[in-house]
Amino acid sequence: MVAYLMRRHFAVRAEPEGLMLASDVAAADTARPASSVRAFGLASDGLAGSLFSLSARVMPFARTVDLDDDQASFDAAMAAFDELQREIKQAEDQLPLRVLSLHAVAPGLRYASVVPPKPASDDSYVEPLHVIVEFASSSRWPDDIAALHKIKSAFLLRLAEAYAGLHPEARVQIVNRFHGRGAADGLVTGVAPLLLGSQESMDYESDNCLDIWHAASGLTFRLSMLCECEGELLAKKARDLRLAPSLAAHAEAVELAHRRWVRNHVWRPKHHRQILDLCQRHHPAASLAIRLVKRWLSRHMLLGQPAGVSEELAELLAARVFCDVSSSAAGGLAEPAAALSGFVRCLRLLAEWRWSEDLFAVDFAADSRLLQTSDELPAAAAGDGGVWVSSGMSAAVAETLAHAFDVPKRKDCVRVATADDPEAVWWGTVSPVLTRRLRVLAAASLECINGCLAAGSDAQLPQVFTTPLTDYDFVINLCRDVVCRKYEQPPRSAFATTAK
């Protein structure tokens, strides 16, 4: 019975050959359901049967050189974050305002970082885990931006003193992105950086953070403060400055500061909750698939660069294959049950999706429908592309989705929309040049995977995670033994070319 079911649903042939009767073999091959697994969702039954060997072969690329159990690392980080919340709550008596909650926004705290959270060490750089602290509202906040930032810094200093007093074994330090330690870390940890802009725009931003080295876990948490009135002040000041044409440059600086504030304190916490819920509902398939996609992007030097793919955008690309319930409803493939299946389906989307003609949308509600139903990738002409609309969306949001990708305004660039972000402005777009490179690399990776399946060998699989260097004018080779981020690399055994 097991041999029959494996052959019928997974096209896996039982050994030895005489284990099944000829009539059972014929019945299994002719009665295979449309939703059965066919080599990661690629429409070629002749490639089936090698699913498990490739899955085991690709998993080392989701690991690092010094961590054998990445799941334990994520669980330990989540437990440490819960413990940090309790410890911060204990310090409330020494703070001017009550702590409402702590909002995690780091990929490592939603099972989505390429490298699992790692305790700090002296010989390596460890990315801090970014957390936003929300205090109770108050009517006593000043109306001046500069004064507000000084009070926020005083809050962080008071929080540092209170935490250090309760936990003397921990280490605390105030850092700033523009000055001193932490100046090169980017806007916040694990995100695509925004352009710094002018010094004038920096004057309207507060980039002071509190780094806490958690003694029990060894992890480093970076705390920033959420003050809702700050966003309202920035928006109001930008509107007032726009009334004077001579202050247009000044208004642009304030608008940039306001956009950064909204991105950090509104968009990222909401995105974090959506991805965390996805990984917990589909864990570990969704988590590993997202990390494989990010590893693939990082190995091709396209992840997190100023002109590259942001962490959030990469997570949305991978989340689409788990949230798209329209294919299974139409009799096509169900949601991926394995990480490699989700990874390969994401590569297929990057290779074949027509960004200039069809809207790429992710609906985390998991209750969606397509205006144009199809279990294949959209193949309609320009102007007839399918728009993915959640049943819970209002008519106004659905109309915005339908018109956000109007033909005259479309460009061949990666843009991902969601119900909360129908115009795809949260995480920006990927340039047309980089979009074409993503398409070429994804197609080449799929061809390599198909070749491995056809040959019955995984010897060439490491090429999927190896970027070509022939187009560069020169290449700088760094010594792996002295690089402070060497622990982030996959183990050398992942690149072994010995066929299995």
Side-chain angles (χ1 to χ4, degrees):
M1 178 59 70
V2 173
Y4 174 83
L5 293 176
M6 293 295 290
R7 187 178 184 104
R8 182 172 184 263
H9 291 276
F10 298 97
V12 175
R13 295 170 176 81
E15 296 291 345
E17 288 293 339
L19 186 61
M20 294 177 59
L21 297 176
S23 58
D24 294 336
V25 172
D29 291 340
T30 57
R32 183 171 297 135
S35 61
S36 61
V37 175
R38 299 193 198 100
F40 320 107
L42 302 178
S44 177
D45 289 337
L47 299 181
S50 300
L51 176 63
F52 303 108
S53 62
L54 281 186
S55 295
R57 183 70 171 85
V58 79
M59 284 303 105
F61 289 98
R63 302 191 181 100
T64 57
V65 294
D66 59 348
L67 289 177
D68 296 329
D69 191 353
D70 49 4
Q71 175 61 37
S73 300
F74 282 112
D75 292 340
M78 299 297 288
F81 174 66
D82 293 338
E83 180 64 24
L84 178 67
Q85 293 188 83
R86 290 190 289 269
E87 294 172 352
I88 296 295
K89 285 286 187 179
Q90 293 175 357
E92 278 188 346
D93 296 340
Q94 305 179 45
L95 300 175
L97 294 177
R98 183 170 58 89
V99 177
L100 291 182
S101 61
L102 270 67
H103 306 283
V105 294
L109 294 176
R110 56 177 179 260
Y111 301 96
S113 60
V114 180
V115 181
K118 174 184 170 65
S121 59
D122 296 334
D123 61 343
S124 61
Y125 171 82
V126 177
E127 196 83 24
L129 301 174
H130 188 234
V131 177
I132 297 176
V133 183
E134 180 181 4
F135 287 91
S137 59
S138 174
S139 60
R140 302 177 63 182
W141 289 102
D143 295 333
D144 181 71
I145 296 293
L148 179 65
H149 290 170
K150 291 180 180 179
I151 293 181
K152 286 178 62 177
S153 300
F155 263 79
L156 291 176
L157 286 171
R158 189 70 188 97
L159 177 59
E161 295 174 357
Y163 187 88
L166 295 175
H167 307 278
E169 69 281 2
R171 295 197 299 266
V172 297
Q173 185 175 7
I174 300 294
V175 299
N176 187 280
R177 179 169 70 99
F178 297 131
H179 308 287
R181 181 174 177 270
D185 291 347
L187 189 59
V188 294
T189 175
V191 299
L194 285 172
L195 297 178
L196 294 183
S198 61
Q199 179 62 44
E200 189 176 27
S201 66
M202 298 179 191
D203 295 337
Y204 292 98
E205 299 181 60
S206 176
D207 281 75
N208 288 334
C209 303
L210 170 61
D211 276 6
I212 295 180
W213 178 77
H214 194 249
S217 62
L219 299 173
T220 301
F221 294 91
R222 175 162 293 177
L223 277 61
S224 60
M225 183 176 171
L226 169 60
C227 182
E228 293 185 356
C229 62
E230 181 179 2
E232 298 173 359
L233 288 177
L234 290 172
K236 181 178 182 300
K237 190 172 185 65
R239 290 194 301 267
D240 294 342
L241 291 173
R242 280 297 180 186
L243 299 177
S246 59
L247 299 177
H250 197 180
E252 290 178 0
V254 180
E255 289 172 350
L256 177 59
H258 179 255
R259 174 177 170 80
R260 286 179 176 146
W261 185 91
V262 174
R263 194 184 197 193
N264 279 339
H265 300 91
V266 179
W267 297 346
R268 285 192 173 116
K270 181 173 291 187
H271 173 84
H272 178 91
R273 291 189 294 268
Q274 291 171 336
I275 297 297
L276 179 60
D277 179 65
L278 176 72
C279 291
Q280 288 178 334
R281 283 191 290 115
H282 299 279
H283 192 74
S287 173
L288 285 175
I290 292 173
R291 294 172 58 207
L292 282 174
V293 171
K294 287 186 176 182
R295 175 68 79 182
W296 181 80
L297 290 170
S298 65
R299 291 295 301 175
H300 292 289
M301 298 181 286
L302 300 176
L303 179 67
Q305 302 300 322
V309 181
S310 66
E311 295 250 3
E312 293 87 353
L313 195 59
E315 293 167 5
L316 291 177
L317 289 172
R320 168 61 191 264
V321 301
F322 290 93
C323 296
D324 187 4
V325 299
S326 59
S327 294
S328 57
L333 293 169
E335 65 183 32
L340 183 56
S341 178
F343 170 62
V344 175
R345 291 191 200 179
C346 185
L347 290 181
R348 187 189 178 199
L349 286 175
L350 289 174
E352 301 181 10
W353 192 274
R354 301 192 300 183
W355 300 99
S356 61
E357 299 180 9
D358 298 294
L359 174 63
F360 191 100
V362 181
D363 187 359
F364 290 98
D367 182 15
S368 57
R369 54 186 172 87
L370 272 175
L371 298 183
Q372 175 185 352
T373 302
S374 174
D375 61 344
E376 299 294 333
L377 290 172
D384 296 328
V387 180
W388 204 27
V389 180
S390 170
S391 60
M393 289 183 186
S394 63
V397 175
E399 184 178 358
T400 302
L401 272 173
H403 294 286
F405 284 70
D406 193 16
V407 175
K409 300 179 181 179
R410 291 175 185 168
K411 295 182 180 179
D412 189 21
C413 57
V414 175
R415 296 181 65 188
V416 181
T418 63
D420 298 317
D421 181 26
E423 296 184 356
V425 298
W426 282 15
W427 317 119
T429 62
V430 177
S431 67
V433 174
L434 185 55
T435 299
R436 290 192 293 269
R437 180 166 179 81
L438 284 170
R439 184 180 293 116
V440 171
L441 291 173
S445 299
L446 287 175
E447 183 179 357
C448 180
I449 293 175
N450 287 339
C452 292
L453 291 170
S457 170
D458 57 14
Q460 302 302 317
L461 192 62
Q463 293 183 4
V464 175
F465 296 91
T466 304
T467 190
L469 301 177
T470 55
D471 295 334
Y472 293 91
D473 295 329
F474 62 90
V475 177
I476 300 176
N477 294 312
L478 302 179
C479 179
R480 291 173 59 99
D481 296 333
V482 297
V483 174
C484 62
R485 290 177 178 259
K486 61 181 179 181
Y487 74 93
E488 298 180 358
Q489 297 297 320
R492 293 180 183 270
S493 59
F495 296 94
T497 57
T498 304
K500 295 182 180 179

